[in-house]
Amino acid sequence: MRSIGLLIELKNGQVKDTNFGMATAVHAQDREIVALMVDTSVDTAKSSLETHGVTRIINIKTGCSGWNPSLQADAVAAAMEAFAIDSLVGLTSPTGRELLPRIAAKLDAPLIMDCLAIDPEARRVKTSQYSGKTIATITLNGNHFIYGLRPNAVPAVKQPANADIVDFEWAATPEDGYQVIETRMEEGGGQFLAEADIIISGGRGMKSGENFSLLDDCARHMGAAIGASRVAVDNGWVPYAMQVGQTGVKVNPKVYIAVGISGSIQHFAGMKTAKTIIAINTDENAAIMANCDYYVVGDLFEILPELEKALARAVS
Amino acid sequence: MNIYVCVKHVPDSAATITIEGPNTINEKITFLVNPYDEHAITEAARIKALKTDTQVVAVCLGKAAAENSLRSAMAMGADRAILIETDKPADSILTARALAAAILADGEPWIIFTGKESIDSEGMQTQFRLAANLGLPVATNVVKLDVEEKTVTVECERDPGTIDVLRMAVPAVLAAGKGLNTPNYPTFPDIVKSRKKPVKKITLDELDIKTPAAGMRIDTLEPAVESRNPKPLSGSAAEIAERIVDILKNEAKVI
Ligand SMILES: Cc1cc2nc3c(=O)[nH]c(=O)nc-3n(C[C@H](O)[C@H](O)[C@H](O)COP(=O)(O)OP(=O)(O)OC[C@H]3O[C@@H](n4cnc5c(N)ncnc54)[C@H](O)[C@@H]3O)c2cc1C
Ligand SMILES: Nc1ncnc2c1ncn2[C@@H]1O[C@H](COP(=O)(O)O)[C@@H](O)[C@H]1O
């Protein structure tokens, strides 16, 4: 039976929801779906992976701990060779952006990042190009095929299966001249903005950095990450780590709430793939109002306190 | 020992992209240096000052018109440039092979800079392939760089605000992120001076690289359609807030 590998990512010990979309994207009756996991505990992941059609879990053990993308990529490539897995799907997440191109370079295999759809049979994908202005259909050719799926591009569908766990011990030889010394968290970091499911962002309309606490108050109840427009960053209100857009982070949340943001082309370049966009703006002619799913013509200083109260009630 | 900077000639992010053939765009629009590559050039010019006898060499694979971006790179601080000319589309496997061959044929690399991604093909991978072809370590989305005698310490932004600190041996491939610096935009005298700097032109065929067995072929391009249908939420602030909560809960199912 043909098999396809999924590079699984954990967050706080759990398989992140976005991973299941990968299984759905490549599901087929006659295909074995193999989850590849590097240096993690696979036991807690097993049942959630089984719910989404994974039939085998390869538990890759490098004997090293900590983040080392060069070493982990080598380990995944080695597991692909050992188990004759010619196709691998991962997420276009911060981790995927490090690992997938390293694996592709190692195997000299074609790779398309940020896929919207994947056809593993035809080895054909859809992906965005030209800052998201066009959708390209691309055919891969070679001996191995690597795909980076855009998070939340394919909604997960349950597909119960039973999975066995296979250990793959791989004695790592760390790459010469490449050493991860530490990972540091900066101001505004640790939100995992790039992979957040809900984002609430503020722009010039927020008027000050202090007022971003209005967004914090709402975000806390929703488990949302907080973003910003470039104006809010350039004014020194919030750190650059929070900037969404062409020159900031590109996000793919399920819901994006834009507060006091006009919706410039450059801001859209970072968030236009959001599933649902909600805009709050005093100006009904702002660009964002014509390119969202729901819009509120109103003053954010009136709406946000009410939203905070309503959210508090809804989640309590 | 030279510093090489890979520079891609790409459509301006603000340009309107019109699809012409099944897989080609109308190229009568403004093209310029890929934005992340501007950070790479600026950093190269900064560290050049730390080492005597070092040249900054901008390298590009592209059509003849790509010379314009190489001129910009020289106005921003590169000493000279290499244009690998081809009219055919090149995927990142072929591009990385060509860049590696051109660099090796030219001189000895100290640091090779690229951008973290190109804004036209959005490949996010050429730097890794280039490094693999040359057998060098690679770091991506570099936002800080300290060079020492035989090593470099680099900070990479993995996720916004999450920084990996790496120590790498040189030569190394470093892919610049936007946080690395503020690009050196050239003054008029810089532009005038850059016109006299040399551009070595070679063709892709002349490089005589082994044709890759693997590849990626663009079959078709289509415009990305924004198919949103904006609906107003109205009422009092409290009513609007309730509607938003309802959407989050029952429609988007995120709370
Ligand atoms: C090369 C380049 C790259 C760029 N990259 C980025 C990027 O990555 N990200 C980015 O965001 N921008 C980027 N920009 C900047 C971009 O062009 C815009 O200037 C910026 O996005 C505007 O930010 P804004 O929407 O907060 O401000 P504005 O455009 O000024 O909009 C503020 C909005 O707030 C509304 N408002 C004011 N008061 C209230 C209130 N009380 N209640 C509700 N609404 C209110 C106003 O009606 C207005 O629509 C880039 C620009 C360039 C040239
Ligand atoms: N044709 C090219 N010529 C020169 N450099 C390139 C070319 N294509 C890609 N690069 C470099 O590789 C980086 C990443 O590109 P990509 O893999 O397309 O996202 C870019 O920022 C450039 O520095």
Side-chain angles (χ1 to χ4, degrees):
Chain A
M1 187 148 83
R2 296 160 309 155
S3 63
I4 190 161
L6 305 183
L7 185 60
I8 300 297
E9 291 180 29
L10 296 190
K11 188 146 113 198
N12 303 327
Q14 300 293 319
V15 181
K16 297 189 312 184
D17 258 7
T18 42
N19 288 275
F20 305 130
M22 297 195 288
T24 306
V26 300
H27 179 80
Q29 272 323 314
D30 56 342
R31 186 178 296 130
E32 187 183 43
I33 300 185
V34 183
L36 289 94
M37 302 184 69
V38 188
D39 293 328
T40 53
S41 89
V42 300
D43 297 324
T44 51
K46 184 169 184 274
S47 67
S48 63
L49 290 169
E50 284 180 328
T51 319
H52 291 88
V54 169
T55 47
R56 168 168 269 206
I57 299 169
I58 300 179
N59 183 19
I60 304 172
K61 296 177 183 172
T62 66
C64 297
S65 61
W67 168 244
N68 184 324
S70 160
L71 188 143
Q72 290 177 5
D74 282 359
V76 174
M80 288 175 67
E81 301 276 16
F83 293 91
I85 296 170
D86 68 1
S87 302
L88 179 73
V89 184
L91 289 169
T92 309
S93 59
T95 307
R97 282 168 188 259
E98 279 278 358
L99 294 183
L100 299 172
R102 287 182 192 275
I103 296 165
K106 173 130 193 116
L107 299 171
D108 209 8
L111 159 72
I112 304 295
M113 295 293 278
D114 217 18
C115 296
L116 305 169
I118 299 170
D119 177 347
E121 232 56 67
R123 288 154 186 158
R124 191 168 295 139
V125 302
K126 283 192 189 297
T127 187
S128 83
Q129 290 194 333
Y130 300 102
S131 313
K133 285 178 224 162
T134 69
I135 303 296
T137 302
I138 301 180
T139 304
L140 286 66
N141 113 66
N143 299 319
H144 292 91
F145 311 91
I146 319 286
Y147 308 93
L149 183 67
R150 175 182 292 177
N152 296 325
V154 180
V157 176
K158 289 206 164 97
Q159 193 74 50
N162 286 314
D164 60 335
I165 297 179
V166 191
D167 287 337
F168 179 66
E169 309 263 353
W170 187 77
T173 35
E175 182 185 346
D176 273 351
Y178 178 94
Q179 192 194 347
V180 184
I181 300 171
E182 59 160 340
T183 297
R184 201 180 64 224
M185 217 55 107
E186 299 209 315
E187 198 201 345
Q191 289 204 90
F192 300 102
L193 191 58
E195 27 187 344
D197 278 345
I198 315 175
I199 295 171
I200 184 163
S201 288
R204 192 197 302 274
M206 297 304 295
K207 296 199 168 65
S208 74
E210 289 73 56
N211 289 335
F212 268 73
S213 65
L214 295 167
L215 300 181
D216 283 324
D217 292 340
C218 294
R220 213 169 334 110
H221 299 302
M222 300 185 275
I226 300 172
S229 73
R230 172 149 152 188
V231 168
V233 172
D234 286 352
N235 285 346
W237 297 344
V238 291
Y240 169 65
M242 288 166 62
Q243 182 177 319
V244 171
Q246 182 189 307
T247 48
V249 62
K250 292 194 176 60
V251 298
N252 309 289
K254 290 180 182 151
V255 178
Y256 189 88
I257 309 178
V259 185
I261 291 178
S262 62
S264 62
I265 295 180
Q266 294 88 357
H267 191 76
F268 258 98
M271 41 60 84
K272 65 175 158 199
T273 58
K275 194 115 184 68
T276 302
I277 298 174
I278 304 175
I280 302 177
N281 200 305
T282 40
D283 177 6
E284 65 178 311
N285 296 318
I288 192 135
M289 308 298 245
N291 206 351
C292 63
D293 300 284
Y294 294 100
Y295 63 92
V296 176
V297 183
D299 186 340
L300 68 93
F301 295 102
E302 289 168 21
I303 311 285
L304 288 180
E306 292 299 331
L307 182 58
E308 197 259 331
K309 282 188 244 163
L311 284 166
R313 279 194 300 273
V315 298
S316 67
Chain B
M1 301 274 266
N2 293 326
I3 303 171
Y4 291 90
V5 188
C6 301
V7 173
K8 195 175 186 188
H9 185 61
V10 300
D12 182 345
S13 64
T16 305
I17 303 293
T18 326
I19 294 155
E20 255 184 7
N23 56 7
T24 55
I25 62 160
N26 180 333
E27 292 185 354
K28 289 191 208 83
I29 49 176
T30 310
F31 274 67
L32 28 74
V33 174
N34 183 45
Y36 297 103
D37 306 355
E38 294 186 337
H39 296 283
I41 300 159
T42 302
E43 198 66 5
R46 182 182 76 80
I47 64 168
K48 171 191 150 121
L50 305 173
K51 212 171 162 100
T52 46
D53 296 338
T54 300
Q55 283 195 322
V56 175
V57 187
V59 193
C60 175
L61 170 81
K63 296 184 179 171
E67 185 177 340
N68 290 331
S69 282
L70 290 172
R71 293 274 165 216
S72 306
M74 291 189 292
M76 292 176 73
D79 298 298
R80 56 187 180 86
I82 304 171
L83 175 61
I84 312 160
E85 262 192 74
T86 177
D87 279 332
K88 291 195 219 87
D91 65 16
S92 22
I93 297 180
L94 182 61
T95 300
R97 280 217 198 350
L99 293 171
I103 290 170
L104 285 183
D106 183 78
E108 224 182 302
W110 174 34
I111 291 174
I112 301 174
F113 284 105
T114 72
K116 78 159 172 122
E117 81 181 79
S118 59
I119 63 163
D120 55 350
S121 53
E122 302 179 20
M124 313 176 200
Q125 53 187 270
T126 307
Q127 62 272 38
F128 296 95
R129 298 190 188 277
L130 178 59
N133 291 340
L134 296 169
L136 300 178
V138 53
T140 200
N141 205 14
V142 172
V143 294
K144 189 165 185 290
L145 168 64
D146 278 312
V147 294
E148 293 109 52
E149 189 51 36
K150 291 204 171 62
T151 59
V152 288
T153 305
V154 300
E155 298 195 359
C156 301
E157 187 171 62
R158 188 175 358 139
D159 191 52
T162 304
I163 308 289
D164 293 323
V165 184
L166 314 178
R167 181 156 308 129
M168 298 164 74
V170 288
V173 177
L174 305 179
K178 127 114 196 180
L180 186 56
N181 51 39
T182 310
N184 257 337
Y185 290 112
T187 60
F188 185 69
D190 293 333
I191 296 171
V192 172
K193 255 195 283 173
S194 76
R195 293 194 190 130
K196 297 211 181 69
K197 294 183 179 175
V199 177
K200 177 160 89 185
K201 290 181 191 164
I202 45 181
T203 63
L204 183 57
D205 299 331
E206 275 171 296
L207 276 178
D208 194 26
I209 40 188
K210 228 174 67 209
T211 311
M216 296 160 261
R217 186 190 68 226
I218 301 175
D219 300 321
T220 57
L221 285 174
E222 51 198 298
V225 277
E226 311 286 351
S227 56
R228 296 189 196 267
N229 170 23
K231 291 178 276 297
L233 302 177
S234 48
S236 67
E239 285 161 357
I240 289 169
E242 285 302 341
R243 277 289 287 131
I244 294 175
V245 169
D246 180 57
I247 292 162
L248 296 175
K249 204 170 182 169
N250 300 316
E251 202 174 298
K253 299 190 168 66
V254 288
I255 59 170

